[in-house]
Amino acid sequence: MVKILYVEDDEINGVVMQGLLKKFGVEVLVARTVNEARKYVADEAFPLILMDIQLGDEVVDGVMLAKEIKQMEPYQHCPIFAVTADADSGASAYFLSEGFERYFAKPFDRNQLWSAIEEILNRK
């Protein structure tokens, strides 16, 4: 079973994502804090990272954390998807310009998310 990382401060959103992707044979490790995410990426290599943008009371947001992770070996070419409640008209273009491979506004279409994940996993 392939394992991906989901950086999400909301426990319920993390559990929902785990349940959703388990149906497709994907294990989701949820990091609820920036420091937890840093620990997980230091400990193992993930083929894909899903990143919430607003990470609660953290000083570092998902955009800054994604850029930090992209500086680490072996994550220079690791796809990171923005999964966020930010659904403003310019959000997609902004997140793509910040280095995210894909953008999904919550609530997202699970079939579109799975299709994008499957495309990434099939590249490996």
Side-chain angles (χ1 to χ4, degrees):
M1 182 178 286
V2 67
K3 186 190 303 186
I4 65 173
L5 179 64
Y6 182 30
V7 182
E8 169 62 70
D9 62 309
D10 184 278
E11 183 177 2
I12 293 171
N13 287 343
V15 170
V16 168
M17 188 69 78
Q18 286 175 317
L20 173 68
L21 295 183
K22 184 176 184 179
K23 294 176 186 176
F24 296 107
V26 175
E27 181 182 348
V28 177
L29 182 61
V30 179
R32 296 203 42 228
T33 67
V34 169
N35 284 336
E36 198 171 41
R38 288 174 176 145
K39 178 188 179 319
Y40 290 152
V41 297
D43 289 348
E44 63 184 289
F46 298 95
L48 171 66
I49 297 172
L50 306 178
M51 180 76 66
D52 184 26
I53 301 303
Q54 299 299 324
L55 298 172
D57 294 332
E58 301 276 355
V59 174
V60 175
D61 68 10
V63 174
M64 290 183 277
L65 181 59
K67 288 179 179 181
E68 179 182 323
I69 290 170
K70 287 279 197 175
Q71 298 299 312
M72 302 168 68
E73 187 67 45
Y75 291 101
Q76 285 88 3
H77 303 290
C78 177
I80 301 178
F81 291 0
V83 181
T84 177
D86 185 350
D88 292 342
S89 62
S92 179
Y94 169 73
F95 291 117
L96 295 175
S97 75
E98 290 294 324
F100 289 91
E101 178 134 342
R102 300 281 175 90
Y103 157 82
F104 293 92
K106 299 174 191 173
F108 51 82
D109 179 291
R110 71 177 113 188
N111 292 324
Q112 287 180 343
L113 177 66
W114 172 245
S115 179
I117 291 172
E118 190 175 40
E119 179 184 317
I120 297 299
L121 296 180
N122 286 335
R123 284 188 205 166
K124 305 295 177 191

